[in-house]
Amino acid sequence: MSSGSRNFIARNKSILLLMAPIVVFLAAFFAWPVVLVLLNSFGGKNGVFGEYVEFFTNSTYVRIVVRTIVVAVSVTLLCLLIGYPYAYLMVRTRGTTLAVLTGVVLLSFFTSVMVRSFAWIVLLQRNGIIDRAVQWVGLDGLVLRGTTTGVTIAMVQVMLPFMIFPLYSAMAGIDTRLERASISLGASGWTTFRQVWLPLSMPGVIGGSVIVFVTSLGFYVIPGLVGSPSNQLLSHLIYSLINTVLNIPLASAASLIMLLLALLVVVPTMIRFDVAGGTSRFATDEGRGDRQSVWLWIWAALVIVLLLVPGLIVIPLSFPANRSFAFPPEGFSLQWYARFFQDRQWWGSFVTSVQVAVLVTITSTVLSVFAGLALRRSSARVRTIIRALVLTPRIVPGVIIAMALYGLFLQWQLNITVTGLVIAHTVMALPFAFIPIAATLEQFDARFEQASASLGASRLTTFRQIILPLISTGMMTGALFAFVISFDEVVVSLFVSGVGLRTLPVQMYRSVANDIDPTIAAASTMLLVLTALTVVASTIYTHRRGR
C-alpha cells in the first residue's frame, strides 16, 4: 500500500468506519445480486447474446417495451402538468393552508398502493362508478379497466406525490425577490414565469420527472391489477418469464433492457441536477400568503379530489351484506372486519407485515444515521459519492431488485423467511430513510459538538446527549418513511414470500387477483385510518418540535 493510500485512510478512518455497515449491506444484497442478474442474461443456451436476439426478434416483446416507454413518459408528463401548479400554490401559502395542502399529499403518499389499486378497480370496472356516471349522462358507458388509458390514469394518481415533493423542494428555495424585480422592470407575469421562475425550478422538474419515470418503468401492481394481459408492461413480462415460462436468462435480458432505459435518463440528469429529493428552506417569506388566482385554487381543489377520493371509495365497500364490489354496496354488515381478524391468512399476513416493518425501520434508521454522520464529516466530493451509493436503489426499477434478490435468496435459502423479507425491504427503504436523516445531520450546528468535546465529553457521550436529541425529528421522519415503505412493499414481497409467509400487501394482491372478497375493503379501510392517524400525529410532533 502506498503512502498516499495510508494517509487517505488515516485521515478518513472515522468516515470509512461509519460507512462500512451500509457499504457491506448494499454490496451483498443489492450490487452483487444485480450483477448476477446481468451476467445471467449472457449465459443462456442460445449463446452470449442469444437472449437479446430472441427478445428483439419477438414482435410481442418489442411492443411491450415500446408500450412501457410510452406509459412511463405519459405518466411523467401528466404528473408534471398536474403537480407543478399545485406545488407552486404550496410555495405561495403558509400556516393552516400550507399544512392542509401538504397533508393531502402526505396522506396520498403514505396510503398503501394496494388500497389505491383496489379503489381504481372499483372506479374503472364495468358497472363501476365512472361507467355508471357516463351512462347516467346518456352515453354508452366507459370501461377503462383492462386498458392502457386506465393504467395510465391510476399510475398518475399514485405517482403524483413523487412529483409534487421535489417540485415544492426546489421552488421553496427560490428567492421571490427576483420575481418581483422582474415585474418591477416591466416584464409581464408570463415572461417572468418563463425566464425567471421556470429556470430556477428546473432542478425540481428534472428530479421529480426522473423519479416518476424510473418508478413507472418498473411499476408492477397497477398494470397487473388494472390492466390486462393484452396490454401488459415490461415488469409483468419479467415476472411471467420467471414464474410461468421459467426462462431466467431471458428474464435477465429483459431486466437489463429495463435498467438501460432507466440509466439513459438517470445518468445524464444526475451529472447536472440533484435528484435526491432533499428538502430546501425558503429563501425568503416574501410572497407567501399573497392572494392567488382563483383558477389556481380550483386546480388545487381538483388535485385534492384526485389524490383523496380514490382511496376514500373503499370505505363504503367494506360494509356490504353480500360478497360484492358493487358501488354503492347493498346492505350493511361488519362481517368482513370480523373475517379479517378471524381468518388466519389475513391476520397472519398483517402480523408478518408489522413484524417485518418494525425490523426494517430499526435497521434502516441505524444504517442511515451512520451514513449521515459520515456525510457531514466528508468533503463535497465524498458527499456526492455517499449520496449516490445510498440512493442508487431508488433509481433502479423495483422489479429488477426483486428478481436479483429472488435469485440470491434461492442460493442462500432465504426465500419465504422473515430474514429474507427484512433484508429485501431494507434495500428498498434505505434511500427513503436516509434523505431526511442526512438532511437533519447536515443542518446540525457543529459548534454544539465542539463545545461538548471541549468540556471533556467523549464522542459517545456527545452523540447520545447532544447529537441524538437534536436530530430526533429527522430520525423520526426517516423511521416513518422506512416503516411505510416496508409495510406497503408488494413487488419484492411477491418474489421472496410464499404461501406459508405472506405480508398484508401480498395477501391483498392475491385476493384482488383471484377472488371477490370484501375483506380487502375492510383491510384497506383500516389501513386508511391508520395512515391518516400517522400523518396527523407526525405533523403535530414535527410542528411542536419546530416551535
Side-chain angles (χ1 to χ4, degrees):
M1 183 181 297
S2 65
S3 58
S5 299
R6 287 195 297 269
N7 291 335
F8 175 82
I9 293 174
R11 291 194 306 269
N12 299 278
K13 183 178 180 180
S14 62
I15 296 175
L16 295 174
L17 289 174
L18 289 169
M19 285 300 299
I22 201 168
V23 169
V24 171
F25 179 85
L26 289 177
F29 299 112
F30 171 69
W32 176 240
V34 170
V35 169
L36 289 179
V37 168
L38 305 185
L39 293 177
N40 283 336
S41 68
F42 300 102
K45 61 182 179 180
N46 299 321
V48 176
F49 298 105
E51 308 306 322
Y52 295 95
V53 173
E54 179 181 350
F55 189 94
F56 285 109
T57 54
N58 188 313
S59 59
T60 299
Y61 295 164
V62 174
R63 282 198 302 271
I64 290 174
V65 172
V66 173
R67 185 185 303 122
T68 301
I69 295 173
V70 170
V71 169
V73 171
S74 300
V75 170
T76 302
L77 292 177
L78 287 170
C79 284
L80 179 59
L81 292 174
I82 295 171
Y84 195 99
Y86 190 92
Y88 179 83
L89 183 61
M90 288 174 63
V91 172
R92 296 299 192 177
T93 57
R94 57 185 172 186
T96 304
T97 305
L98 176 60
V100 170
L101 294 175
T102 306
V104 168
V105 183
L106 282 172
L107 183 60
S108 177
F109 175 82
F110 285 132
T111 299
S112 170
V113 68
M114 279 307 309
V115 174
R116 289 180 282 176
S117 299
F118 172 58
W120 280 109
I121 290 174
V122 176
L123 284 165
L124 301 176
Q125 67 185 352
R126 186 172 300 280
N127 292 321
I129 297 174
I130 293 177
D131 187 31
R132 289 190 176 186
V134 172
Q135 292 179 30
W136 183 76
V137 299
L139 301 178
D140 293 335
L142 183 63
V143 180
L144 293 174
R145 186 183 180 186
T147 67
T148 302
T149 300
V151 170
T152 302
I153 294 171
M155 286 176 62
V156 166
Q157 193 268 340
V158 172
M159 296 307 304
L160 193 53
F162 290 88
M163 179 66 75
I164 291 176
F165 282 131
L167 286 172
Y168 174 73
S169 178
M171 292 181 189
I174 297 176
D175 192 336
T176 55
R177 290 174 295 185
L178 297 174
E179 185 180 21
R180 293 179 178 269
S182 174
I183 294 175
S184 69
L185 292 174
S188 65
W190 169 246
T191 301
T192 299
F193 171 80
R194 183 167 49 86
Q195 296 189 0
V196 177
W197 189 269
L198 186 59
L200 292 174
S201 66
M202 194 54 64
V205 172
I206 299 298
S209 298
V210 168
I211 293 169
V212 172
F213 178 81
V214 171
T215 307
S216 299
L217 274 180
F219 219 105
Y220 180 87
V221 177
I222 286 179
L225 296 178
V226 179
S228 67
S230 62
N231 59 17
Q232 66 176 320
L233 302 184
L234 191 54
S235 57
H236 244 266
L237 174 62
I238 294 171
Y239 186 80
S240 299
L241 289 173
I242 295 172
N243 288 275
T244 304
V245 184
L246 302 178
N247 192 335
I248 301 297
L250 189 57
S252 299
S255 298
L256 180 56
I257 292 167
M258 178 185 287
L259 182 60
L260 290 176
L261 289 174
L263 293 179
L264 284 174
V265 173
V266 170
V267 173
T269 53
M270 285 190 68
I271 293 174
R272 183 173 180 183
F273 298 98
D274 176 21
V275 297
T279 57
S280 299
R281 292 185 177 273
F282 274 93
T284 174
D285 282 342
E286 188 175 350
R288 298 182 69 186
D290 290 352
R291 181 183 295 275
Q292 301 300 320
S293 168
V294 65
W295 295 108
L296 197 58
W297 288 106
I298 293 174
W299 186 265
L302 294 174
V303 174
I304 290 173
V305 170
L306 175 63
L307 290 174
L308 295 185
V309 169
L312 299 178
I313 290 294
V314 306
I315 297 177
L317 291 175
S318 65
F319 300 104
N322 58 345
R323 184 182 286 266
S324 171
F325 289 155
F327 190 93
E330 298 178 2
F332 180 86
S333 174
L334 295 174
Q335 61 177 309
W336 309 111
Y337 288 90
R339 186 171 187 270
F340 177 86
F341 291 104
Q342 295 169 2
D343 187 282
R344 181 176 299 178
Q345 283 189 331
W346 283 100
W347 179 248
S349 63
F350 173 78
V351 172
T352 299
S353 286
V354 172
Q355 179 183 2
V356 170
V358 169
L359 294 174
V360 169
T361 300
I362 295 171
T363 305
S364 300
T365 303
V366 171
L367 290 175
S368 297
V369 169
F370 283 152
L373 289 171
L375 190 73
R376 67 184 299 268
R377 298 180 182 182
S378 306
S379 62
R381 180 175 298 180
V382 176
R383 288 180 185 178
T384 302
I385 296 173
I386 293 174
R387 285 197 186 93
L389 171 69
V390 180
L391 297 177
T392 298
R394 185 174 177 180
I395 59 177
V396 175
V399 69
I400 297 178
I401 299 175
M403 181 181 174
L405 290 173
Y406 173 78
L408 182 71
F409 287 179
L410 280 178
Q411 297 177 16
W412 293 2
Q413 298 183 348
L414 287 174
N415 275 329
I416 320 179
T417 65
V418 172
T419 302
L421 283 170
V422 170
I423 292 172
H425 286 199
T426 301
V427 172
M428 306 300 290
L430 258 177
F432 293 89
F434 172 76
I435 290 172
I437 292 174
T440 305
L441 279 166
E442 284 188 293
Q443 295 169 6
F444 175 76
D445 192 339
R447 290 175 297 182
F448 289 110
E449 190 175 6
Q450 295 167 358
S452 175
S454 67
L455 294 173
S458 65
R459 285 192 173 184
L460 180 60
T461 301
T462 300
F463 174 77
R464 182 167 49 86
Q465 296 188 1
I466 304 296
I467 299 177
L468 203 58
L470 291 175
I471 66 171
S472 60
T473 300
M475 288 180 61
M476 287 289 293
T477 303
L480 178 61
F481 274 96
F483 185 90
V484 171
I485 294 300
S486 172
F487 197 90
D488 193 35
E489 176 53 48
V490 183
V491 180
V492 170
S493 300
L494 281 169
F495 276 78
V496 303
S497 64
V499 177
L501 184 70
R502 286 181 178 175
T503 61
L504 183 58
V506 171
Q507 175 63 24
M508 295 170 73
Y509 184 91
R510 299 297 186 192
S511 176
V512 173
N514 302 325
D515 193 15
I516 298 177
D517 185 0
T519 307
I520 186 178
S524 299
T525 301
M526 288 186 287
L527 287 179
L528 275 174
V529 173
L530 180 62
T531 300
L533 292 175
T534 301
V535 171
V536 171
S538 63
T539 302
I540 293 174
Y541 174 81
T542 303
H543 178 70
R544 288 181 176 177
R545 290 284 301 179
R547 293 175 61 179

